[in-house]
Structures are given as structure tokens and as C-alpha cells.
């Protein structure tokens, strides 16, 4: 089930990292035909796979069928991800929503629509898997209930993204400059993300338990016994709830919530019906162990850790893609658009990064946290025998092999073996606690190093040099690919050289750009700014700056262009005209008004105290 979380996040990464190209890859009718044809082929292939497994139930052992069913579900889910990627990259479906006002104003709505499409693909898998599920596990769950349970259990993983992205869209849509500027700054974006991550972590359980349609456990023997155990462990909580996952037929329990006001203890009907009171106590003690060991809080920090790693490695991934010229030459021979290639490679790298982190790092801690929670039973009881017998009942009822591997849990066989060792020697509990503490310390130290390196890469001198080299290489690569006649590329190159004070190279690039396109306003403007304000007097040319800035202003009346004109007039001693141009720039400016106001005040002061040449 937890694998579904990974599938949803990978699909979200596929969508969010894609930058749609300006043109569609196919005609609308062809796109529609391909889209529905692929869905039909996917449905047929998925149905045949699970029908074959259902027919095997009469001739194969339960362990073989269980393995076949699990493998088929994994393959079909991965195929659903691949089909979704084809929709995004091959059919370029998102391009058909370009220009629609609602989706432009609130991009999260479009993302939500595509995530619903991915849910539909997984629903096809679950619907087709139902017949094999019933034959193998003898479950009387209806197809509709089986699909609904899978969706209900998995979809809440999208809740943090939905709130984070949706509220950000609303803030950016507000007619106020300050919130938008704060949210678009690196510091503001980071603060916003952390605030909402913790906010969702705190109140998310309240929303999730309602989404799952949990209901309070009625007063009676079971509730009284669980309440008594929680009082004994000094565990505060909001409520004890029935967890109707898969119709309540799974022997499982859970706890969610960082704070007691929004903390819920979840139990299924099968757990209360099949287990003895002592076994139920052991399961609840396990869940109490998660809270007492602060595992839920650590999970939150592990998510932040992934963001640190993604932040630190993102630029390196981009550099690797840009500098991998052989990859580009190979791919461009196919005629695929450069935007699709770049975003495709970037998406693959980010997804690989995500899978490695969660499969090996996050999965390592999840497995060991589960083992630590198992051992927490000894904090409340003298023996873990009821928990061991619970695992044996789970194997008997579920039909799963005790040695079935799991990326986020040790197998049931391994968990039983560990508890048996603890039964014989309690020092195994302390050993495992020490292992977890040391692992967390190593993780924190690594994240500090990675975070510092990421900060230096993005904001330090090394990062600036890499960024400059990256953009220079990217622009030169574009020019070499039949871009010699592209004035915009040479203008960008000039901006890059100007930014790192390579004035001679900047002048050469700007002049080449103007030779190709004498009416490029941005090149005229930026070249004029260099000539008017260059810190090296050898490259200053006030007269030419004024000529170029006037040409730019004659083409386009934008605040930044009028500001360059005002600066050019100012350095030529034409203060009154500079004040007029700066006033017009300030009147047109909707953002960054403090800068334009400062420029105007500078020119007005010069009218009182003229500059001395």
C-alpha cells in the first residue's frame, strides 16, 4: 500500500517538472486517437495479466500466487506511470490547456486534473486486479470497495502539495505586490514551504480521518481497554477511530498526529474481532511506541531532508544535462524539441533522486522505526509474546508469506526473529535503540554538510561561477546549433558578460546582436546601460548610450527602458529631461517602485546640485 504513495509522488514530479513546448506534437484529432488507444491497450494488457493469475489459483501454491499478484500490481503501476509520462511528454496534453484563463490563474487546478487522470490509470489496475485478489485471498470485498479503498488510502499523500500549491496560487492571484514578492523570493518560498509543511503535519490527520470516513470506536470493552493502556503510557489523543480500510478486513492499526489535539488512534474491525485482548494491547503498545519515540516528527524532518538534498543537487543535475553534449546530439537527431528533451532528462534525474532517497534512506529509517516500535512493547509489558502471535495470525489470515520482502517494513519473519531474540536477551532492545540514535546522528550531520554545500552552490562564490559557466555554455551551445543569426542569444550572452564585468566581451556580443537585429529593444536597452554606467571609464560612452536608449524608448515605453533613458540623459547632463523620463518610469511601474522612486530622487537632487563632469 505504501508503494502507492511513491507512485503518486513520482507522477506529481513528472507533471511538475515538465515545461510544455509551444507547439503540440500531434494534431488535436491524432492526439485524441492516440490518447484513447493507449488507454484501451493498457486496459486490455492489465486485464489479461490479472485474469491469467486468477486462472492459476487452481494449480499453483498460495505463496506463488501471492508473489505473482504483488509483482503484477507493481508492474502495472509502473506501466501506469509510463503511460502518464507519455501523455505529458509524448502527447503534450498540457499544451491544450494553455491560454485557458482559469488554469492560467490557478495552475493547481490543471495539475489536479492531470493527477485525477493518473488516479484513473491506477483505478484500471485495481479494478482488473480485483478478480485475482478475490481468488487468492478469499476476500468478499466488492470491486467498487476494493478500488475505493486503494484510492482512499493513497490520495491523502497529495494533500500537502494540494494545500501548498493551491494557497500559493491564491496569494499570487491577489492584487497586492508585497505577498507576491515575498513568495517569489528564495527566503519567502522556503519559509512558506516550511510553515505549511508543519501546518499540514499538525492538522492533516483531522482532514485525513474524515476523508477515510473513520468513525469513533463505540463505548465498550475494547475502547475502555485501549483508553486504559493509553493512560498507563501517558499518551494523549483526540479520539480512537474505526479504520475502514479495505472494509476493515485487514488486521492492522495506526496512529497519526504530531499533537494530541489532532492525534488519532486507528483500529480495524478485523483487529478487534480476530485478535485476543492481549494481542490488541500489544498492537496498541506498538503504535504508542511510534509516538513516544517521536517517529512521526522524524518522518517530517526526513521529508525536509529530501528537500535539502533536492535543493543542493538540482543545479548539479542541470549542469550535468547541459554539459552532456553527446546526449543532446543523440537525442536531437530524433527531432524531439529541445524543451521536451531538457525537461525529460531533468524529470528522470529528479525522479531517480527521489526514488533512491525514499527507497534506501527513508526506507531504512522506516524499517528500523517499526522494529523500534515493536520493541517498545517491553516498556508496557513483560513479554512480547502477544505481538509475536499477532504476526502469526496476520500471516494466517492474509495468506502472505512471512518472508515476503517489504521496502518500508522488515518481513514478518524478520520481525518475529528479532522479538524472539529480545525475549531471550533484553539487551537487543538497547542495541537497536542505540543503532537508531547513531543512524539519526549520521543523517543529521550529513544533511548539515549537504545543506551548507547546497547553500554555497546556490548563493556562494562557487555557485555564482558555476551558474555563469552553465549559462555561458548553454548559450554558446544554442548558438552553435544554427543559432548564429539569433540576436536574442547574443543579447543574452552580452547580459551574462556584463554581469561578471567582462566588458569587452559584453560589448562584442551586444554589437553582434544589434548587427543582426538593430530594433531589439532589450539589446538596445542593456547595451545603453553598459555605456552609461560602466565602472570602467574605457567603455563609457554617454552619447552613444543616449542614442541607443532613445531608439529603445521609441519602440517600447516600459519602466526599465525609460529608466535607462533617464540614466543616459543624466550622464549627459540633461537633468530636466532625466527627471521627466524617470517620472514616466515611476508612473508606469507596478513592481519595484522603490527603485524607480530612488532613481527619480537622485535626478531631482542633481537638478539642485548639478553633477560635475
Amino acid at each position: 500500500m505504501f508503494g502507492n504513495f511513491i507512485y503518486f509522488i513520482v507522477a506529481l514530479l513528472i507533471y511538475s517538472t515538465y515545461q510544455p513546448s509551444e507547439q503540440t506534437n500531434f494534431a488535436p484529432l491524432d492526439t485524441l486517437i492516440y490518447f484513447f488507444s493507449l488507454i484501451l491497450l493498457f486496459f486490455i494488457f492489465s486485464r489479461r495479466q490479472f485474469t491469467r493469475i486468477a486462472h492459476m489459483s487452481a494449480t499453483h501454491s498460495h505463496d506463488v500466487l501471492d508473489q505473482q499478484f504483488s509483482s503484477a500490481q507493481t508492474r502495472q503501476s509502473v506501466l501506469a506511470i509510463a503511460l502518464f509520462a507519455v501523455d505529458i511528454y509524448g502527447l503534450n496534453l498540457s499544451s491544450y490547456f494553455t491560454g485557458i484563463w482559469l488554469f492560467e490563474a490557478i495552475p493547481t487546478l490543471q495539475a489536479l486534473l492531470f493527477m485525477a487522470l493518473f488516479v484513473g490509470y491506477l483505478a484500471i489496475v485495481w479494478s482488473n486486479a480485483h478478480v485475482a485478489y478475490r481468488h487468492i485471498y478469499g476476500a468478499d470485498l466488492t470491486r467498487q470497495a476494493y478500488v475505493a479503498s486503494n484510492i482512499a488510502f493513497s490520495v491523502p499523500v497529495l494533500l500537502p502539495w494540494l494545500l501548498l500549491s493551491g494557497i500559493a496560487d491564491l496569494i499570487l492571484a491577489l492584487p497586492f505586490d508585497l505577498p507576491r514578492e515575498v513568495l517569489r523570493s528564495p527566503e519567502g518560498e522556503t519559509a512558506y514551504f516550511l510553515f505549511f509543511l508543519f501546518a499540514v503535519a499538525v492538522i492533516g490527520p483531522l482532514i485525513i480521518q474524515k476523508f477515510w470516513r473513520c468513525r469513533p470506536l463505540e463505548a465498550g470493552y475494547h475502547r475502555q481497554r485501549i483508553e486504559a493502556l493509553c493512560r498507563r503510557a501517558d499518551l494523549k489523543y483526540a479520539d480512537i477511530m474505526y479504520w475502514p480500510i479495505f472494509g476493515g478486513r485487514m488486521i492492522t492499526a495506526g496512529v497519526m498526529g504530531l499533537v494530541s489535539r489532532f492525534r488519532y488512534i486507528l483500529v480495524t474491525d478485523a483487529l478487534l474481532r480476530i485478535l485476543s485482548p492481549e494481542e490488541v494491547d500489544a498492537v496498541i503498545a506498538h503504535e504508542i511506541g511510534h509516538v513516544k519515540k517521536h517517529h512521526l516528527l522524524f518522518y517530517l524532518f526526513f521529508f525536509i531532508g529530501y528537500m535539502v538534498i533536492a535543493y543542493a543537487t538540482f543545479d548539479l543535475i542541470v549542469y550535468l544535462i547541459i554539459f552532456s553534449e553527446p546526449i543532446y546530439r543523440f537525442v536531437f537527431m530524433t527531432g524531439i524539441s529541445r524543451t521536451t528533451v531538457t525537461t525529460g532528462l531533468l524529470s528522470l534525474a529528479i525522479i531517480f533522486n527521489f526514488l533512491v532517497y525514499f527507497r534506501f534512506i527513508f526506507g531504512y529509517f522506516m524499517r528500523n522505526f517499526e522494529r523500534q516500535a515493536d520493541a517498545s512493547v517491553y516498556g508496557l509489558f513483560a513479554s512480547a509474546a502477544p505481538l509475536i502471535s499477532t504476526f502469526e495470525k496476520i500471516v494466517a489470515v492474509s495468506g502472505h508469506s512471512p518472508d515476503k520482502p517489504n521496502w518500508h517494513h522488515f518481513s514478518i519473519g524478520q520481525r518475529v526473529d528479532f522479538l524472539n531474540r529480545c525475549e531471550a536477551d533484553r539487551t537487543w532492545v538497547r542495541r537497536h535503540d542505540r543503532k537508531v540514535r547513531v543512524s539519526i546522528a549520521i543523517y543529521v550531520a550529513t544533511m548539515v554538510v549537504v545543506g551548507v554545500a547546497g547553500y554555497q552552490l546556490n548563493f556562494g562564490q562557487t555557485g555564482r561561477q558555476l551558474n555563469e559557466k552553465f549559462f555561458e555554455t548553454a548559450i554558446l551551445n544554442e548558438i552553435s546549433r544554427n543559432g548564429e543569426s539569433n540576436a536574442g542569444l547574443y543579447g543574452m550572452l552580452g547580459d551574462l558578460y556584463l554581469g561578471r564585468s567582462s566588458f569587452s566581451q559584453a560589448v562584442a556580443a551586444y554589437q553582434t546582436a544589434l548587427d543582426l537585429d538593430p530594433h531589439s529593444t532589450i539589446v538596445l536597452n542593456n547595451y545603453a546601460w553598459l555605456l552609461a554606467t560602466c565602472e570602467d571609464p574605457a567603455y563609457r560612452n554617454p552619447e552613444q548610450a543616449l542614442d541607443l536608449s532613445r531608439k529603445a524608448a521609441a519602440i517600447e515605453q516600459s519602466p526599465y527602458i525609460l529608466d535607462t533613458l533617464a540614466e543616459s540623459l543624466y550622464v549627459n547632463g540633461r537633468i530636466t529631461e532625466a527627471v521627466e523620463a524617470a517620472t514616466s518610469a515611476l508612473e508606469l511601474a507596478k513592481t519595484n517602485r522603490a527603485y524607480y522612486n530612488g532613481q527619480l530622487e537622485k535626478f531631482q537632487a542633481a537638478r539642485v546640485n548639478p553633477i560635475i563632469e
Side-chain angles (χ1 to χ4, degrees):
M1 292 184 298
F2 282 96
N4 292 339
F5 286 3
I6 302 298
Y7 302 145
F8 273 95
I9 296 175
V10 169
L12 185 59
L13 287 173
I14 289 173
Y15 175 82
S16 61
T17 55
Y18 177 62
Q19 296 295 324
S21 57
E22 296 179 358
Q23 296 181 344
T24 57
N25 294 331
F26 304 101
L29 181 59
D30 292 340
T31 300
L32 194 65
I33 293 173
Y34 293 145
F35 175 68
F36 284 107
S37 297
L38 288 171
I39 292 177
L40 179 61
L41 289 173
F42 177 64
F43 174 83
I44 293 172
F45 179 74
S46 174
R47 189 175 185 85
R48 291 186 63 182
Q49 288 280 302
F50 289 110
T51 301
R52 180 182 62 83
I53 294 173
H55 290 160
M56 291 169 56
S57 60
T59 57
H60 290 72
S61 68
H62 190 279
D63 286 348
V64 171
L65 293 171
D66 177 51
Q67 182 180 3
Q68 288 284 324
F69 181 79
S70 298
S71 298
Q73 273 204 316
T74 300
R75 287 195 303 269
Q76 295 300 312
S77 299
V78 171
L79 189 59
I81 293 174
L83 180 58
F84 183 71
V86 169
D87 290 340
I88 300 297
Y89 285 91
L91 300 182
N92 196 15
L93 291 184
S94 57
S95 65
Y96 290 96
F97 296 88
T98 303
I100 299 177
W101 176 83
L102 184 61
F103 293 139
E104 294 283 346
I106 309 178
T108 302
L109 291 179
Q110 181 176 322
L112 198 59
L113 182 64
F114 276 90
M115 292 312 298
L117 173 64
F118 179 68
V119 171
Y121 290 155
L122 288 183
I124 290 175
V125 176
W126 296 325
S127 177
N128 289 329
H130 177 258
V131 60
Y133 176 79
R134 288 188 59 189
H135 278 81
I136 296 171
Y137 304 111
D140 59 353
L141 204 64
T142 66
R143 187 187 305 271
Q144 182 180 357
Y146 179 70
V147 174
S149 292
N150 274 290
I151 294 175
F153 185 79
S154 307
V155 166
V157 73
L158 298 176
L159 176 65
W161 159 78
L162 181 61
L163 292 176
L164 190 76
S165 181
I167 295 176
D169 286 348
L170 294 177
I171 292 174
L172 294 175
L174 293 174
F176 305 109
D177 291 339
L178 182 59
R180 288 198 297 264
E181 292 176 2
V182 170
L183 192 58
R184 285 170 175 162
S185 68
E187 298 81 5
E189 186 177 7
T190 301
Y192 171 79
F193 170 78
L194 292 177
F195 172 79
F196 268 94
L197 185 63
F198 278 96
V200 169
V202 170
I203 67 172
L206 174 65
I207 303 172
I208 292 173
Q209 61 93 7
K210 292 184 179 298
F211 184 85
W212 282 342
R213 299 179 184 177
C214 297
R215 69 182 193 279
L217 179 64
E218 68 274 1
Y221 176 76
H222 289 303
R223 187 176 186 97
Q224 290 174 358
R225 193 172 180 111
I226 294 174
E227 288 175 341
L229 186 58
C230 290
R231 283 194 301 271
R232 181 179 166 191
D234 192 27
L235 178 74
K236 295 180 174 59
Y237 55 90
D239 206 348
I240 304 170
M241 314 285 288
Y242 273 118
W243 192 7
I245 181 173
F246 292 99
R249 292 169 174 81
M250 293 182 64
I251 303 176
T252 189
V255 62
M256 57 180 182
L258 289 177
V259 299
S260 59
R261 185 173 181 179
F262 301 108
R263 179 179 296 137
Y264 299 91
I265 298 173
L266 308 177
V267 295
T268 61
D269 178 70
L271 180 128
L272 301 178
R273 178 167 39 84
I274 297 174
L275 301 187
S276 69
E278 292 76 17
E279 289 169 339
V280 173
D281 287 346
V283 172
I284 299 302
H286 169 97
E287 302 304 333
I288 291 173
H290 279 306
V291 178
K292 292 298 183 178
K293 296 294 185 180
H294 308 292
H295 294 162
L296 303 180
L297 184 61
F298 281 124
Y299 288 148
L300 180 62
F301 281 108
F302 290 144
F303 274 102
I304 296 175
Y306 170 71
M307 301 306 298
V308 171
I309 290 178
Y311 167 79
T313 60
F314 181 81
D315 281 351
L316 291 177
I317 292 172
V318 174
Y319 298 146
L320 180 63
I321 293 172
I322 293 299
F323 287 117
S324 297
E325 184 65 23
I327 295 178
Y328 266 81
R329 288 180 179 174
F330 172 77
V331 177
F332 282 126
M333 288 175 61
T334 65
I336 303 173
S337 71
R338 277 173 272 196
T339 299
T340 300
V341 171
T342 303
T343 55
L345 291 174
L346 184 60
S347 295
L348 286 175
I350 291 174
I351 291 170
F352 176 79
N353 196 9
F354 169 83
L355 291 176
V356 168
Y357 179 86
F358 278 90
R359 173 61 179 85
F360 295 102
I361 299 177
F362 194 76
Y364 168 83
F365 282 103
M366 287 190 75
R367 291 191 299 274
N368 282 281
F369 282 174
E370 288 297 325
R371 176 167 286 180
Q372 195 174 36
D374 288 343
S376 296
V377 172
Y378 291 107
L380 293 171
F381 302 105
S383 173
L387 186 59
I388 294 173
S389 62
T390 295
F391 288 139
E392 293 170 349
K393 285 186 178 180
I394 290 174
V395 170
V397 172
S398 68
H400 295 304
S401 168
D403 299 318
K404 183 177 181 179
N406 197 314
W407 70 272
H408 55 87
H409 283 178
F410 288 108
S411 71
I412 288 181
Q414 290 173 315
R415 295 172 76 175
V416 170
D417 288 343
F418 174 74
L419 289 174
N420 282 328
R421 290 198 300 271
C422 294
E423 287 286 291
D425 182 0
R426 293 290 195 275
T427 60
W428 280 101
V429 178
R430 294 194 298 273
R431 291 181 195 177
H432 188 69
D433 285 342
R434 184 169 59 251
K435 174 186 176 182
V436 171
R437 287 196 301 270
V438 171
S439 298
I440 291 174
I442 294 173
Y443 175 85
V444 170
T446 303
M447 288 301 101
V448 170
V449 172
V450 171
V452 171
Y455 181 85
Q456 290 296 323
L457 185 62
N458 284 271
F459 299 105
Q461 181 64 27
T462 301
R464 286 193 293 271
Q465 291 174 350
L466 281 173
N467 276 323
E468 290 174 0
K469 184 62 177 175
F470 155 65
F471 284 115
E472 181 181 9
T473 302
I475 295 168
L476 291 174
N477 284 344
E478 291 297 308
I479 290 174
S480 67
R481 298 187 192 101
N482 302 317
E484 294 87 349
S485 60
N486 191 322
L489 290 175
Y490 283 102
M492 293 168 62
L493 197 59
D495 296 341
L496 175 67
Y497 291 142
L498 176 60
R500 69 186 190 197
S501 299
S502 299
F503 301 122
S504 61
Q505 291 176 295
V507 168
Y510 284 142
Q511 288 177 344
T512 302
L514 289 179
D515 288 341
L516 294 170
D517 183 5
H519 304 293
S520 173
T521 54
I522 192 167
V523 175
L524 288 168
N525 179 81
N526 295 353
Y527 191 15
W529 185 265
L530 183 157
L531 297 173
T533 65
C534 186
E535 60 193 54
D536 187 343
Y539 295 97
R540 242 184 262 147
N541 189 332
E543 293 80 10
Q544 188 180 2
L546 182 57
D547 178 57
L548 294 175
S549 61
R550 278 179 165 165
K551 289 180 180 178
I555 299 171
E556 181 181 335
Q557 294 277 306
S558 296
Y560 76 98
I561 290 178
L562 292 175
D563 176 59
T564 301
L565 175 59
E567 190 72 34
S568 299
L569 290 164
Y570 170 72
V571 297
N572 278 279
R574 307 174 73 155
I575 308 302
T576 301
E577 294 174 77
V579 170
E580 292 175 356
T583 301
S584 299
L586 180 61
E587 290 174 350
L588 291 173
K590 295 182 179 179
T591 60
N592 206 17
R593 290 178 58 83
Y595 165 78
Y596 291 112
N597 189 61
Q599 286 285 88
L600 177 58
E601 291 177 352
K602 180 179 76 172
F603 302 144
Q604 289 172 335
R607 187 159 53 183
V608 178
N609 301 296
I611 59 174
I612 300 175
E613 295 292 343

